[in-house]
Amino acid sequence: MASRKRSEGFAFFLPVVGAMLVMPPIVMLFDVDADVFGIPLIVAYMFAVWLFLVVASLVLTRGLPRAGADQAELEKKTVDKP
Amino acid sequence: MISANLVILISVGYVILLFALAYFSERLAEGDRGQFLRSPLVYTLAISVYCTSWTFYGAVGSAARSGLEFFAIYLGPTLVFVGWWFGLRKLVRIGRNQRITSVADLISSRFGKSNRLAVLVTLIAVIGTTPYIALQLKAITTSLFVISSDSIVTGVGDRTDDNRLALGVAVGMALFTILFGTRNVDAKEQHHGVVAAIAFEAIVKLVALLSVGIFVVFGLGGGFAEIFSRAEAAGVNVYDNGGFGTRWVTIMVLSAAAIICLPRQFQITVVENSDENHLRTASWAFPLYLLGMSVFTLPIAIVGLNLLPAGTDPDMFVLTLPLAHGQEMLALFAFIGGFSSATSMIIIASIALSIMVSNHIVMPIALRTPWIAESGDGQGVTNLLLNSRRISICAVLALGFLYFWLTNGSGALARIGLISFAGVAQFLPAIIAALYWRDATSKGAGVGLFVGFSVWFYTLFFPSFVETGGMVADWVAHGPYGISFLRPEALFGLEGIDPLVHSVFWSLLANTGLMVLVSLSTNQSALERIQGTLFVDAFRRLPGTETRFMRSSAAANDLFFVAQRVLGAERATAVFDSYVKKEPGSRARFEPTPDFIAHLEKELAGSIGAASAHVMLSQVVSGDNISLQEVMQIADETQQVIEYSQQLEQKSEELRETAEKLQDANEKLRELDQEKDEFLSQVSHEVRTPMTSIRSFSEILLDPEGVTSDERQRFLSTIHTESLRLTLLLDEILDLSALERGEKTWDNEPVEVLKVLHRAALVCEPLAKSSGIEIRMGAVLENAVVEANGDRLCQVFINLISNAVKYNDCEDPYVAVSMKRVGKRLQIEFQDNGPGIAPKDRKRVFNKFSRGHRGVSNAQTGSGLGLAISSQIVTHMNGKIDLVRGTGEGACFRVTLPLAQMAKAAE
């Protein structure tokens, strides 16, 4: 249960962090005249954030309960109530 | 160049391939083998209908014109999918629980199954989507023109040809959509065949774009680094771009809104979803797909600007780059990719719109028309639905074509993508309120939507026709009737910002603001309140629990009749049979429960929308419309029952505690009773010993003969001693019982401890001398003053010293007295070097009649009450007396007493 709570916390945190990373002012930090292996820094940064979101989402989803399990748990809760 | 006819032929062949794919998928989906079609992969690929030809061709154009802006279009949806757990999951759950058929149905269902709202949303969706369809038609005709013309520089083509081609495409798409989108009216508005075809198209467009990208980057450009080094020369600013202002944020918000609100996205993501768990895969796979679609966008734009002659349309770089370098097959493949993205959008958008139009505009009208509403052949409504959908599809595509025809050549289409996004983004406040805000009302949502839409229309849609000149251009330049205050692109004098940002700001501000304001100042109807709870608490309730607020009843025959007309006889029978099985009793005696009626309404809603289903059923169901007061009353009753049961629980808890206390008290009473018995027997025993000797000596004395006067004298003195002992014992018992009852015959007053100690030592001196015991005074505090009574304290000290003297059988006996201060208390210790007290006796030395030194043979045994009395006295002085582990072998008693305040002041 504790790990589920944590995963939910991260699930909320991830899109918020993602939004902050690609919005001003943070994005402006990378909008400079520099490059990484010949690729402009800002372009590399965009794809890096994007890839990070994909991987983080993939990892995070494993920690979140499946819909069926969720339903069963809900049923159990409802039955438990006097 | 490739012959136009060949390209058209290939396109037709491709569409036939899609036909076949959709057809066989549909067949497969009916059987068990169709499991693959309901996999998360197909679902994810279908969602990528988001990437239309606007993405396929337009993203490169956008990159060529405005640099990095295209990123925002894909980052918005990425964030929404990454955050699926809090947004999309709830949307999908509600969609499945409530059998939602479209975005209009969602908003209408949440706000009390309001038909007015559904119509409003449908109209906005149609107006917002039609230009988008026109954009797809334009992309197809332009790309066909480019691929089949001699020159890659777009010239003014033969417009008649263009129009004929667009019409052909529109008709073809209408045919396809009608064939697969309106085959039947399902309880769940799902089209497995179409979805399979869309998923296939998603693969085609991705592979096509990647192929072109790889060719451009590694065939023409010489790698990424090489291409980016030429960016500046091409005029694409990728270093220190500075483009991350309000427009960037606005586009991000719009694209995030669009992935939820666009009718086609809603159709695929929510309506076509067959398993909520598919979202788990889509949450990362769809962003990955978008990433794949964007990898080569910038390089293609840069290379195109570098290598192709000026004047080439950047929107067509994906086609013109391979063409210019003789890669005709690659160009053809790219064309098919673009064709795929365009057709998939047209198909899904027209299906979604046709469902909305038929459910929310045609059905309500039909239900109010007597001759349709009363035709009871069982197929009437089904046929009406299917036909209205077919007509709607044709109408939507016709509108799209009309728009294309009217605006073709004006260039206005280029901005349509974002304009369309901004239009459907007006649904966002209402959807968010539907999902998370319990108190949002139908009026609030309606006013917000209407005003937001109007502002969008006036500030963004209307000015998009500026290039057609005339009135539009005049208004944009000078305001309506010359009122510059109301210029569409500078409303209320807000000048100098991007028109898109301007419009999105005003429209969403008005939309959200009014929705909140009106919601707060109007009331919800009972149905709205019920639906609101069902939506907001979608995860907290089990499906079916809502019916406790419904008290509807209807005849089974009437219900069956209605169900048959919408669902057809076969499905209606299935729905009824599935319920009869659950309920005991045969079908003949089947009584429709409120549960069943709610279930049936949902089944109907899955076909004709919540609002229409509600209207249809309320014609045969009585007592469904309960007032808000009744809902509140039912809720109150439930609340009362809950409170009552909580009170009961509390009471029983209290009772249990009381019973436990009683049990404890009983236990104590038993112990006390036993103690009392023991005490009595001990007292009797103690009294009996002296009494026995007194009696026997008296008996001897009663016989005067045989007793010498000397003996008489001795016997009398013994009787006297024994009487004294008896009196002393009785005095002590009385004293102890008085103390135990809590009687205190003295007042505590400041007493100098040292004086009392000296007095006690003086009293014990003779006894000590006779036993040869030394009383040692250890460390003492000269002027320690405690709250006590001098005489009583002296009694305690005498008792302790005399005990130490009496029981000490050591060769060199002594008793040491010492004092020390611990905080606000004074400790006085009496340590002897006697035999000590056995561990098993340590606990009971303070008990009555217990003598710690039973084994010691000493004539001078006490009453056994001394320590018990001392303990009581010290307790009454707010102190305590303990047996502690001292320094030597013997016993060590410690008296702890509170220091008087005065002493503290003196120090």
Side-chain angles (χ1 to χ4, degrees):
Chain A
M1 211 50 201
S3 79
R4 181 197 159 158
K5 274 265 172 284
R6 187 173 301 164
S7 295
E8 280 193 346
F10 275 116
F12 182 75
F13 188 60
L14 188 62
V16 174
V17 165
M20 281 171 64
L21 288 178
V22 294
M23 291 233 192
I26 290 181
V27 75
M28 288 174 177
L29 293 177
F30 298 88
D31 187 20
V32 290
D33 194 355
D35 54 48
V36 188
F37 303 117
I39 295 165
L41 181 64
I42 184 67
V43 177
Y45 173 72
M46 282 290 164
F47 281 116
V49 170
W50 206 333
L51 211 58
F52 159 73
L53 287 176
V54 169
V55 174
S57 186
L58 172 63
V59 173
L60 195 60
T61 300
R62 289 162 188 268
L64 294 166
R66 298 183 72 83
D70 193 45
Q71 195 77 13
E73 191 181 290
L74 189 74
E75 264 163 41
K76 195 167 149 267
K77 255 188 210 164
T78 319
V79 170
D80 283 350
K81 266 185 198 159
Chain B
M1 69 166 268
I2 307 166
S3 143
N5 288 335
L6 179 68
V7 178
I8 292 174
L9 204 66
I10 290 172
S11 308
V12 172
Y14 181 70
V15 174
I16 290 173
L17 178 71
L18 287 183
F19 262 80
L21 196 71
Y23 179 74
F24 286 112
S25 305
E26 197 95 326
R27 290 280 297 275
L28 265 177
E30 283 165 13
D32 291 336
R33 288 174 300 164
Q35 209 54 45
F36 170 74
L37 295 171
R38 286 186 289 270
S39 70
L41 184 69
V42 170
Y43 177 69
T44 307
L45 285 172
I47 292 175
S48 65
V49 70
Y50 180 74
C51 301
T52 63
S53 63
W54 187 42
T55 299
F56 197 85
Y57 297 122
V60 172
S62 164
R65 286 187 211 99
S66 19
L68 301 171
E69 197 176 280
F70 74 96
F71 272 115
I73 305 272
Y74 306 106
L75 284 173
T78 298
L79 291 175
V80 170
F81 268 81
V82 166
W84 67 285
W85 184 256
F86 289 92
L88 288 173
R89 189 172 68 107
K90 192 165 192 183
L91 203 60
V92 168
R93 174 71 65 88
I94 291 169
R96 293 170 60 76
N97 283 352
Q98 304 291 320
R99 303 276 204 282
I100 298 296
T101 59
S102 65
V103 64
D105 196 23
L106 176 91
I107 293 175
S108 134
S109 177
R110 157 64 179 82
F111 295 104
K113 309 191 179 176
S114 151
N115 200 54
R116 226 179 295 169
L117 262 181
V119 171
L120 182 61
V121 175
T122 305
L123 287 179
I124 296 176
V126 169
I127 295 172
T129 311
T130 313
Y132 211 153
I133 292 176
L135 178 64
Q136 309 303 318
L137 293 177
K138 178 181 163 78
I140 292 175
T141 52
T142 311
S143 60
L144 189 82
F145 178 75
V146 165
I147 202 169
S148 59
S149 74
D150 297 326
S151 158
I152 51 169
V153 181
T154 322
V156 183
D158 184 350
R159 294 287 165 213
T160 336
D161 254 15
D162 255 17
N163 289 340
R164 270 218 310 264
L165 191 63
L167 185 64
V169 173
V171 170
M173 288 301 109
L175 208 65
F176 182 91
T177 315
I178 286 171
L179 270 177
F180 290 99
T182 63
R183 271 159 57 92
N184 48 20
V185 180
D186 205 304
K188 286 177 192 162
E189 206 48 74
Q190 295 186 343
H191 311 84
H192 296 297
V194 175
V195 169
I198 300 301
F200 174 72
E201 291 198 294
I203 298 171
V204 171
K205 62 192 179 196
L206 180 65
V207 174
L209 198 56
L210 288 179
S211 310
V212 174
I214 290 166
F215 167 72
V216 169
V217 170
F218 300 105
L220 300 178
F224 283 111
E226 172 68 21
I227 288 172
F228 281 116
S229 69
R230 281 182 285 162
E232 201 127 5
V236 178
N237 191 357
V238 284
Y239 297 101
D240 203 0
N241 176 278
F244 300 105
T246 48
R247 190 173 157 87
W248 170 266
V249 177
T250 304
I251 293 178
M252 194 107 72
V253 170
L254 278 186
S255 61
I259 199 72
I260 301 166
C261 303
L262 277 174
R264 65 171 193 276
Q265 292 308 135
F266 192 89
Q267 176 74 25
I268 294 289
T269 314
V270 180
V271 183
E272 303 280 356
N273 177 288
S274 56
D275 184 348
E276 199 177 304
N277 287 319
H278 289 175
L279 269 180
R280 303 168 72 85
T281 308
S283 75
W284 59 268
F286 178 61
L288 190 64
Y289 184 94
L290 292 178
L291 180 69
M293 288 296 276
S294 317
V295 167
F296 293 111
T297 305
L298 262 179
I300 294 175
I302 295 168
V303 172
L305 288 170
N306 266 322
L307 298 185
L308 296 177
T312 316
D313 183 3
D315 281 339
M316 287 295 141
F317 279 171
V318 175
L319 279 184
T320 44
L321 270 173
L323 274 182
H325 294 84
Q327 297 285 336
E328 292 194 342
M329 285 316 289
L330 186 61
L332 197 60
F333 187 33
F335 170 79
I336 293 293
F339 187 70
S340 285
S341 20
T343 50
S344 57
M345 184 272 160
I346 295 175
I347 292 166
I348 297 297
S350 54
I351 286 180
L353 287 179
S354 77
I355 290 173
M356 284 197 218
V357 171
S358 75
N359 283 359
H360 303 302
I361 296 179
V362 178
M363 266 313 279
I365 296 173
L367 286 174
R368 286 186 181 84
T369 317
W371 60 267
I372 300 177
E374 280 157 25
S375 70
D377 59 353
Q379 285 297 311
V381 177
T382 316
N383 284 339
L384 173 73
L385 267 179
L386 287 179
N387 284 332
S388 71
R389 270 180 207 178
R390 285 170 190 145
I391 295 166
S392 307
I393 289 170
C394 293
V396 165
L397 284 169
L399 273 177
F401 173 71
L402 196 69
Y403 194 96
F404 167 80
W405 187 50
L406 286 177
T407 58
N408 198 14
S410 72
L413 278 178
R415 290 154 70 197
I416 277 300
L418 281 173
I419 293 176
S420 197
F421 275 22
V424 294
Q426 302 305 324
F427 300 153
L428 191 67
I431 291 179
I432 290 176
L435 261 53
Y436 303 102
W437 191 27
R438 214 176 290 270
D439 298 327
T441 68
S442 146
K443 293 185 192 75
V447 172
L449 270 172
F450 182 75
V451 175
F453 171 70
S454 305
V455 172
W456 166 80
F457 190 90
Y458 181 68
T459 57
L460 200 62
F461 189 73
F462 176 74
S464 73
F465 295 95
V466 70
E467 284 159 54
T468 58
M471 187 194 83
V472 182
D474 182 49
W475 277 32
V476 169
H478 309 292
Y481 309 108
I483 309 169
S484 66
F485 192 60
L486 294 177
R487 268 178 297 158
E489 294 189 330
L491 210 54
F492 308 127
L494 187 66
E495 271 177 284
I497 56 173
D498 186 84
L500 179 76
V501 179
H502 171 266
S503 170
V504 168
F505 169 72
W506 281 122
S507 60
L508 282 182
L509 180 76
N511 187 337
T512 315
L514 281 170
M515 185 187 75
V516 173
L517 207 66
V518 177
S519 287
L520 290 178
S521 46
T522 53
N523 291 324
Q524 287 178 318
S525 70
L527 194 56
E528 263 182 272
R529 191 168 289 257
I530 292 168
Q531 290 296 101
T533 311
L534 286 178
F535 272 57
V536 175
D537 296 338
F539 291 117
R540 280 190 219 135
R541 278 157 192 265
L542 288 170
T545 46
E546 67 265 36
T547 48
R548 67 201 180 101
F549 290 129
M550 311 241 177
R551 290 184 308 178
S552 42
S553 64
N557 276 345
D558 288 347
L559 286 178
F560 187 77
F561 182 64
V562 171
Q564 191 188 13
R565 279 168 57 197
V566 177
L567 305 171
E570 201 179 316
R571 274 192 42 87
T573 314
V575 169
F576 271 70
D577 282 351
S578 72
Y579 236 78
V580 173
K581 256 181 223 158
K582 274 192 239 165
E583 310 273 325
S586 78
R587 200 177 144 193
R589 284 184 283 123
F590 177 57
E591 283 277 325
T593 57
D595 231 13
F596 174 73
I597 294 172
H599 174 72
L600 186 64
E601 184 173 328
K602 258 188 217 160
E603 288 285 329
L604 295 185
S607 296
I608 58 176
S612 297
H614 190 64
V615 170
M616 270 196 110
L617 270 190
S618 50
Q619 288 173 347
V620 291
V621 173
S622 59
D624 190 20
N625 289 325
I626 53 173
S627 69
L628 181 59
Q629 278 81 7
E630 282 175 290
V631 174
M632 296 313 284
Q633 202 183 336
I634 295 169
D636 279 351
E637 277 166 19
T638 319
Q639 191 59 33
Q640 275 172 9
V641 171
I642 291 169
E643 269 169 27
Y644 183 62
S645 83
Q646 275 172 350
Q647 277 173 6
L648 276 182
E649 247 172 60
Q650 211 175 337
K651 281 265 161 60
S652 78
E653 179 68 17
E654 277 168 19
L655 279 176
R656 204 173 53 76
E657 274 170 20
T658 314
E660 265 174 21
K661 273 184 199 154
L662 277 176
Q663 224 161 1
D664 283 354
N666 196 23
E667 201 70 21
K668 262 189 200 135
L669 270 180
R670 273 173 205 280
E671 275 171 28
L672 282 177
D673 189 46
Q674 198 166 353
E675 262 177 43
K676 186 204 74 189
D677 286 349
E678 274 172 19
F679 180 68
L680 273 180
S681 72
Q682 273 168 337
V683 167
S684 317
H685 179 77
E686 295 293 330
V687 172
R688 208 169 142 244
T689 322
M691 281 305 280
T692 312
S693 65
I694 289 172
R695 204 188 72 201
S696 42
F697 281 121
S698 327
E699 273 168 9
I700 296 170
L701 285 176
L702 278 177
D703 179 14
E705 288 174 34
V707 181
T708 64
S709 83
D710 210 22
E711 277 173 329
R712 180 179 300 134
Q713 192 61 36
R714 214 176 70 230
F715 290 162
L716 275 174
S717 98
T718 308
I719 290 173
H720 183 243
T721 318
E722 290 298 304
S723 310
L724 279 180
R725 231 180 97 191
L726 200 56
T727 320
L728 191 69
L729 178 67
L730 291 173
D731 278 348
E732 283 188 342
I733 289 172
L734 281 175
D735 193 17
L736 182 64
S737 74
L739 283 168
E740 277 188 341
R741 275 202 312 274
E743 281 174 23
K744 195 173 76 172
T745 51
W746 74 90
D747 283 325
N748 285 339
E749 56 192 17
V751 171
E752 277 194 44
V753 178
L754 198 59
K755 275 187 188 165
V756 177
L757 206 55
H758 280 311
R759 220 168 86 201
L762 206 65
V763 173
C764 296
E765 195 72 30
L767 181 67
K769 280 237 171 77
S770 68
S771 307
I773 283 185
E774 186 193 352
I775 300 175
R776 294 181 192 164
M777 282 293 176
V780 290
L781 297 171
E782 286 297 334
N783 42 15
V785 179
V786 295
E787 288 283 343
N789 176 278
D791 294 340
R792 284 298 194 159
L793 193 58
C794 188
Q795 184 189 346
V796 172
F797 289 166
I798 291 170
N799 179 254
L800 289 173
I801 296 173
S802 61
N803 275 352
V805 172
K806 270 189 257 173
Y807 302 119
N808 203 331
D809 54 357
C810 187
E811 279 180 16
D812 181 22
Y814 70 86
V815 51
V817 184
S818 64
M819 273 193 262
K820 75 175 174 215
R821 235 185 100 175
V822 178
K824 287 181 183 176
R825 304 178 84 86
L826 183 72
Q827 288 184 347
I828 308 134
E829 285 184 358
F830 298 85
Q831 166 84 50
D832 64 47
N833 60 344
I837 293 163
K840 65 180 167 65
D841 293 330
R842 295 182 80 92
K843 271 185 185 168
R844 27 178 297 267
V845 288
F846 295 105
N847 287 0
K848 284 161 276 193
F849 302 110
S850 73
R851 296 180 183 83
H853 304 269
R854 218 157 271 199
V856 179
S857 57
N858 197 320
Q860 288 184 329
T861 49
S863 63
L865 289 174
L867 275 176
I869 291 172
S870 296
S871 171
Q872 285 291 335
I873 290 172
V874 174
T875 307
H876 281 292
M877 290 170 180
N878 301 320
K880 59 178 181 171
I881 181 162
D882 304 293
L883 178 60
V884 296
R885 271 174 216 290
T887 46
E889 293 224 324
C892 179
F893 286 92
R894 176 192 288 163
V895 179
T896 311
L897 285 169
L899 280 162
Q901 296 297 318
M902 202 177 72
K904 227 169 107 185
E907 272 177 55

